[in-house]
Amino acid sequence: MLKQDEEYLSVNWLEYFNAPDLTAAVERIRETFRNKRYQVRRNARFTVLNVEAAKHAIHGATKTMPAIKHLPSRNDPSHAGIFAGTAENLALAVQLAALVTPENVHAAIP
């Protein structure tokens, strides 16, 4: 869910890295988080979602199509944002959470 002062959901664009497979792409995200010096806990997880499925889930909750924008920074060239809804939109969070399955959850620290 969005926090009160956030304009978008912060995400990473896996295809940015042009990795040979999903495992390699997730490893590049781990590397990005290390380079940003994020404090990642041992029980932290990354979830990989299909963009079209996420857009349809968001549309179902908000009745508007989200804007997904590439928002690179110097230390995170894969950073992107999903602009949709507000922090109060519980239906949006529920719709996105419904897309999460054990197969698309990856340990942040292997």
Side-chain angles (χ1 to χ4, degrees):
M1 290 185 69
L2 287 173
K3 295 177 185 161
Q4 289 295 328
D5 61 340
E6 293 177 329
E7 295 179 35
Y8 59 88
L9 292 171
S10 184
V11 296
N12 287 84
W13 178 25
L14 289 178
E15 291 81 4
Y16 172 84
F17 296 111
N18 200 24
D21 57 34
L22 180 59
T23 301
V26 170
E27 182 53 39
R28 293 295 307 270
I29 297 300
R30 289 180 184 125
E31 180 182 318
T32 297
F33 273 57
R34 286 190 300 268
N35 290 342
K36 290 169 74 169
R37 301 191 194 287
Y38 278 2
Q39 297 296 320
V40 179
R41 295 183 177 151
R42 295 223 47 75
N43 62 346
R45 301 286 182 262
F46 293 128
T47 301
V48 176
L49 297 179
N50 175 280
V51 171
E52 282 303 310
K55 286 170 79 172
H56 287 291
I58 292 166
H59 181 261
T62 66
K63 305 303 181 222
T64 60
M65 286 305 285
I68 301 175
K69 299 178 184 178
H70 186 207
L71 303 169
S73 64
R74 185 174 52 82
N75 60 354
D76 188 354
S78 69
H79 186 254
I82 301 174
F83 293 80
T86 64
E88 294 83 29
N89 197 331
L90 181 58
L92 172 57
V94 170
Q95 290 285 343
L96 288 175
L99 299 175
V100 178
T101 64
E103 295 78 32
N104 60 13
V105 175
H106 305 270
I109 300 174

